[in-house]
Amino acid sequence: MRRVHFCLLFKTLLLVSVVQAQEIHLGADVVSRYVWRGMDFGESMSVQPGLSLSVGALTVGTWASYALTASGAGANEHDLYLSLDLGALSVGVTDYYFPAPNGAKFFDFDDDGQGAHYLEPFIQIRGPETAPFTLHASIFAYNDPDNTIYLEGQYPFTVGDVEMRLTVGVVAGQSALYNTGDVTLVNLGLAASRTIQITEAFSLPVFVHYILNPNPRVERSYLVFGFSL
Protein backbone atom coordinates (compact mmCIF):
# COMPACT_ATOMS: atom_id res chain seq x y z
CA MET A 1 0.00 0.00 0.00
CA ARG A 2 2.87 2.40 0.75
CA ARG A 3 4.20 1.84 -2.76
CA VAL A 4 0.80 2.67 -4.25
CA HIS A 5 0.77 5.88 -2.22
CA PHE A 6 4.26 6.72 -3.52
CA CYS A 7 3.12 6.30 -7.14
CA LEU A 8 0.11 8.54 -6.53
CA LEU A 9 2.31 11.14 -4.79
CA PHE A 10 4.69 11.10 -7.76
CA LYS A 11 1.84 11.81 -10.17
CA THR A 12 0.47 14.55 -7.88
CA LEU A 13 3.85 16.30 -7.95
CA LEU A 14 3.75 16.16 -11.74
CA LEU A 15 0.34 17.83 -11.82
CA VAL A 16 1.38 20.56 -9.36
CA SER A 17 4.43 21.33 -11.50
CA VAL A 18 2.26 21.62 -14.61
CA VAL A 19 0.16 24.32 -12.94
CA GLN A 20 3.26 26.32 -11.95
CA ALA A 21 5.28 25.75 -15.14
CA GLN A 22 7.54 28.60 -16.29
CA GLU A 23 8.91 26.93 -19.45
CA ILE A 24 7.20 24.48 -21.77
CA HIS A 25 8.88 22.37 -24.44
CA LEU A 26 7.06 20.11 -26.87
CA GLY A 27 7.92 18.18 -29.99
CA ALA A 28 8.17 14.75 -31.54
CA ASP A 29 10.64 12.42 -33.21
CA VAL A 30 9.86 10.01 -36.03
CA VAL A 31 12.25 7.04 -36.01
CA SER A 32 12.76 4.01 -38.24
CA ARG A 33 13.08 1.87 -35.11
CA TYR A 34 12.71 2.45 -31.37
CA VAL A 35 15.93 1.07 -29.89
CA TRP A 36 16.53 1.78 -26.20
CA ARG A 37 19.64 0.69 -24.32
CA GLY A 38 20.42 -1.87 -26.99
CA MET A 39 16.90 -3.33 -27.19
CA ASP A 40 14.46 -3.02 -30.11
CA PHE A 41 10.94 -2.20 -28.94
CA GLY A 42 8.29 -3.29 -31.43
CA GLU A 43 10.41 -3.89 -34.56
CA SER A 44 8.56 -0.95 -36.11
CA MET A 45 8.83 2.63 -37.26
CA SER A 46 7.60 4.80 -34.39
CA VAL A 47 6.40 8.28 -33.51
CA GLN A 48 7.74 9.65 -30.21
CA PRO A 49 6.03 12.77 -28.84
CA GLY A 50 7.30 14.60 -25.78
CA LEU A 51 6.18 17.41 -23.47
CA SER A 52 8.15 18.91 -20.59
CA LEU A 53 7.51 21.74 -18.16
CA SER A 54 10.09 23.47 -15.97
CA VAL A 55 9.90 25.45 -12.74
CA GLY A 56 13.37 26.67 -11.86
CA ALA A 57 15.62 23.62 -11.50
CA LEU A 58 12.67 21.21 -11.50
CA THR A 59 11.49 19.63 -14.74
CA VAL A 60 8.55 17.30 -15.19
CA GLY A 61 7.60 15.70 -18.44
CA THR A 62 5.96 12.97 -20.39
CA TRP A 63 7.35 11.02 -23.34
CA ALA A 64 5.90 8.25 -25.45
CA SER A 65 6.67 5.92 -28.32
CA TYR A 66 3.92 4.51 -30.53
CA ALA A 67 4.59 1.94 -33.23
CA LEU A 68 3.17 2.67 -36.67
CA THR A 69 2.33 -1.00 -37.22
CA ALA A 70 -0.22 -3.09 -35.36
CA SER A 71 2.35 -5.83 -34.82
CA GLY A 72 4.56 -3.41 -32.87
CA ALA A 73 1.82 -2.05 -30.61
CA GLY A 74 2.79 -4.44 -27.83
CA ALA A 75 5.86 -2.27 -27.23
CA ASN A 76 4.00 1.05 -27.02
CA GLU A 77 5.35 3.14 -24.16
CA HIS A 78 4.18 6.21 -22.25
CA ASP A 79 6.43 7.56 -19.51
CA LEU A 80 6.28 10.28 -16.88
CA TYR A 81 9.45 11.73 -15.39
CA LEU A 82 10.66 14.24 -12.86
CA SER A 83 14.20 15.63 -12.59
CA LEU A 84 16.07 18.19 -10.53
CA ASP A 85 19.03 20.00 -12.11
CA LEU A 86 21.71 20.77 -9.53
CA GLY A 87 24.34 22.01 -11.96
CA ALA A 88 26.82 19.26 -12.71
CA LEU A 89 24.49 16.80 -10.98
CA SER A 90 20.92 15.82 -11.86
CA VAL A 91 18.64 13.45 -9.98
CA GLY A 92 15.19 12.22 -10.84
CA VAL A 93 12.81 9.35 -11.39
CA THR A 94 11.06 7.90 -14.44
CA ASP A 95 7.73 6.06 -14.41
CA TYR A 96 7.63 3.63 -17.36
CA TYR A 97 4.19 2.52 -18.50
CA PHE A 98 3.47 0.28 -21.51
CA PRO A 99 -0.10 0.80 -22.83
CA ALA A 100 -0.10 -2.30 -25.00
CA PRO A 101 -3.40 -3.67 -26.30
CA ASN A 102 -4.78 -6.00 -23.62
CA GLY A 103 -1.85 -5.02 -21.37
CA ALA A 104 -1.86 -4.01 -17.71
CA LYS A 105 -4.30 -1.21 -16.89
CA PHE A 106 -2.95 2.20 -15.91
CA PHE A 107 -4.04 2.00 -12.26
CA ASP A 108 -2.47 -1.42 -11.71
CA PHE A 109 0.28 -0.56 -9.22
CA ASP A 110 1.27 -4.15 -8.38
CA ASP A 111 4.96 -4.58 -7.56
CA ASP A 112 5.32 -8.21 -8.61
CA GLY A 113 6.77 -7.71 -12.08
CA GLN A 114 3.28 -7.77 -13.62
CA GLY A 115 2.07 -4.28 -12.69
CA ALA A 116 1.63 -1.40 -15.11
CA HIS A 117 4.37 0.87 -13.76
CA TYR A 118 8.14 0.52 -13.45
CA LEU A 119 9.85 3.22 -11.39
CA GLU A 120 13.50 4.00 -12.08
CA PRO A 121 15.32 6.59 -9.94
CA PHE A 122 18.43 7.94 -11.66
CA ILE A 123 21.43 10.18 -11.16
CA GLN A 124 23.48 11.92 -13.85
CA ILE A 125 26.84 13.65 -13.62
CA ARG A 126 28.01 16.07 -16.31
CA GLY A 127 31.62 16.98 -16.88
CA PRO A 128 32.98 20.49 -17.52
CA GLU A 129 33.12 22.09 -20.98
CA THR A 130 36.69 20.86 -21.39
CA ALA A 131 35.50 17.25 -20.84
CA PRO A 132 31.75 17.23 -21.57
CA PHE A 133 31.06 13.61 -20.65
CA THR A 134 27.83 12.41 -19.04
CA LEU A 135 27.64 9.54 -16.55
CA HIS A 136 24.28 7.94 -15.78
CA ALA A 137 23.28 5.42 -13.11
CA SER A 138 19.77 4.12 -12.49
CA ILE A 139 17.93 1.27 -10.79
CA PHE A 140 14.52 -0.22 -11.46
CA ALA A 141 13.38 0.05 -7.85
CA TYR A 142 9.70 -0.77 -8.36
CA ASN A 143 8.00 -3.66 -10.19
CA ASP A 144 11.29 -5.29 -11.24
CA PRO A 145 12.11 -8.39 -9.16
CA ASP A 146 15.77 -8.06 -10.23
CA ASN A 147 16.02 -4.37 -9.26
CA THR A 148 18.15 -3.93 -12.37
CA ILE A 149 21.01 -1.41 -12.26
CA TYR A 150 22.00 0.28 -15.52
CA LEU A 151 25.20 2.31 -15.95
CA GLU A 152 25.97 4.47 -18.98
CA GLY A 153 28.59 6.92 -20.19
CA GLN A 154 28.32 9.35 -23.10
CA TYR A 155 30.80 11.66 -24.77
CA PRO A 156 29.83 14.27 -27.40
CA PHE A 157 32.07 15.73 -30.10
CA THR A 158 31.69 17.41 -33.48
CA VAL A 159 32.96 16.67 -36.98
CA GLY A 160 32.40 19.70 -39.19
CA ASP A 161 28.74 20.65 -38.80
CA VAL A 162 27.75 17.20 -37.54
CA GLU A 163 27.24 16.60 -33.83
CA MET A 164 28.44 13.17 -32.72
CA ARG A 165 28.02 11.15 -29.53
CA LEU A 166 29.58 7.94 -28.23
CA THR A 167 27.60 5.77 -25.79
CA VAL A 168 28.58 2.79 -23.64
CA GLY A 169 25.96 1.09 -21.45
CA VAL A 170 26.27 -1.80 -18.98
CA VAL A 171 23.73 -3.81 -16.96
CA ALA A 172 25.24 -4.53 -13.56
CA GLY A 173 23.97 -8.07 -13.00
CA GLN A 174 21.19 -10.52 -13.76
CA SER A 175 18.12 -8.94 -15.34
CA ALA A 176 15.09 -10.42 -17.05
CA LEU A 177 14.30 -7.01 -18.52
CA TYR A 178 17.62 -6.86 -20.39
CA ASN A 179 18.02 -10.63 -20.80
CA THR A 180 21.32 -10.72 -18.91
CA GLY A 181 22.75 -13.29 -16.51
CA ASP A 182 25.63 -11.27 -15.10
CA VAL A 183 27.38 -7.92 -15.55
CA THR A 184 26.92 -7.39 -19.29
CA LEU A 185 27.76 -4.79 -21.91
CA VAL A 186 24.45 -4.18 -23.70
CA ASN A 187 24.73 -0.84 -25.47
CA LEU A 188 27.48 0.49 -27.73
CA GLY A 189 26.41 3.44 -29.83
CA LEU A 190 27.57 6.15 -32.19
CA ALA A 191 25.10 8.93 -32.97
CA ALA A 192 25.32 11.64 -35.61
CA SER A 193 22.94 14.57 -36.02
CA ARG A 194 22.70 17.77 -38.02
CA THR A 195 20.08 20.30 -39.07
CA ILE A 196 19.03 20.58 -42.71
CA GLN A 197 17.82 24.01 -43.78
CA ILE A 198 14.69 23.45 -45.88
CA THR A 199 13.59 27.07 -46.31
CA GLU A 200 14.58 30.36 -44.70
CA ALA A 201 11.90 29.79 -42.07
CA PHE A 202 12.04 26.01 -41.64
CA SER A 203 14.83 23.59 -40.79
CA LEU A 204 14.71 19.88 -40.06
CA PRO A 205 16.95 18.18 -37.47
CA VAL A 206 17.89 14.67 -38.63
CA PHE A 207 19.92 11.94 -36.95
CA VAL A 208 21.36 8.48 -37.48
CA HIS A 209 22.26 6.11 -34.64
CA TYR A 210 24.43 3.01 -34.96
CA ILE A 211 23.74 0.72 -32.00
CA LEU A 212 25.32 -2.61 -31.11
CA ASN A 213 24.12 -4.89 -28.33
CA PRO A 214 27.00 -7.34 -27.73
CA ASN A 215 25.11 -9.23 -25.00
CA PRO A 216 25.75 -12.91 -25.92
CA ARG A 217 22.02 -13.58 -25.52
CA VAL A 218 21.15 -10.86 -28.04
CA GLU A 219 24.07 -9.93 -30.34
CA ARG A 220 22.21 -7.52 -32.63
CA SER A 221 23.13 -4.28 -34.36
CA TYR A 222 20.79 -1.52 -35.50
CA LEU A 223 21.02 1.54 -37.73
CA VAL A 224 18.27 3.99 -36.86
CA PHE A 225 17.26 7.07 -38.83
CA GLY A 226 15.01 9.78 -37.47
CA PHE A 227 13.98 13.40 -37.64
CA SER A 228 12.60 15.85 -35.10
CA LEU A 229 9.62 18.19 -35.29
Side-chain angles (χ1 to χ4, degrees):
M1 182 61 69
R2 290 180 180 176
R3 290 171 175 171
V4 172
H5 288 164
F6 175 79
C7 290
L8 293 175
L9 175 61
F10 174 63
K11 290 171 174 55
T12 300
L13 288 173
L14 292 176
L15 292 175
V16 170
S17 299
V18 167
V19 174
Q20 299 179 344
Q22 297 172 348
E23 295 183 20
I24 299 177
H25 299 279
L26 69 159
D29 292 338
V30 178
V31 294
S32 59
R33 281 290 189 275
Y34 172 29
V35 180
W36 179 76
R37 297 180 182 175
M39 299 182 294
D40 190 321
F41 281 71
E43 303 279 349
S44 171
M45 189 174 181
S46 300
V47 177
Q48 300 177 333
L51 172 67
S52 66
L53 310 101
S54 298
V55 182
L58 179 67
T59 297
V60 298
T62 180
W63 180 92
S65 182
Y66 295 103
L68 295 184
T69 62
S71 61
N76 287 347
E77 179 179 339
H78 181 201
D79 306 334
L80 299 172
Y81 61 88
L82 182 151
S83 66
L84 185 64
D85 188 344
L86 303 173
L89 176 70
S90 295
V91 295
V93 60
T94 302
D95 172 10
Y96 297 89
Y97 166 58
F98 299 92
N102 302 316
K105 295 182 179 180
F106 183 84
F107 290 106
D108 180 352
F109 293 109
D110 287 348
D111 183 25
D112 57 0
Q114 302 298 319
H117 298 270
Y118 298 80
L119 295 185
E120 185 187 46
F122 64 84
I123 182 172
Q124 290 184 343
I125 299 173
R126 293 182 293 275
E129 291 185 4
T130 54
F133 62 84
T134 300
L135 300 178
H136 167 101
S138 57
I139 179 171
F140 273 108
Y142 186 86
N143 201 28
D144 174 14
D146 296 318
N147 292 133
T148 305
I149 295 174
Y150 178 76
L151 307 172
E152 184 178 277
Q154 294 188 346
Y155 192 86
F157 60 99
T158 59
V159 178
D161 64 345
V162 178
E163 296 182 0
M164 310 287 290
R165 185 179 70 251
L166 290 170
T167 299
V168 178
V170 174
V171 172
Q174 179 176 329
S175 171
L177 292 176
Y178 293 90
N179 193 17
T180 61
D182 204 340
V183 177
T184 307
L185 181 64
V186 298
N187 185 15
L188 290 174
L190 175 64
S193 62
R194 66 185 297 262
T195 299
I196 299 175
Q197 196 71 37
I198 306 298
T199 68
E200 291 185 1
F202 178 72
S203 59
L204 184 67
V206 298
F207 53 86
V208 174
H209 295 172
Y210 172 79
I211 303 158
L212 172 65
N213 186 339
N215 177 4
R217 297 181 178 180
V218 179
E219 291 189 4
R220 291 187 68 183
S221 67
Y222 313 89
L223 190 63
V224 177
F225 170 78
F227 60 89
S228 302
L229 299 173

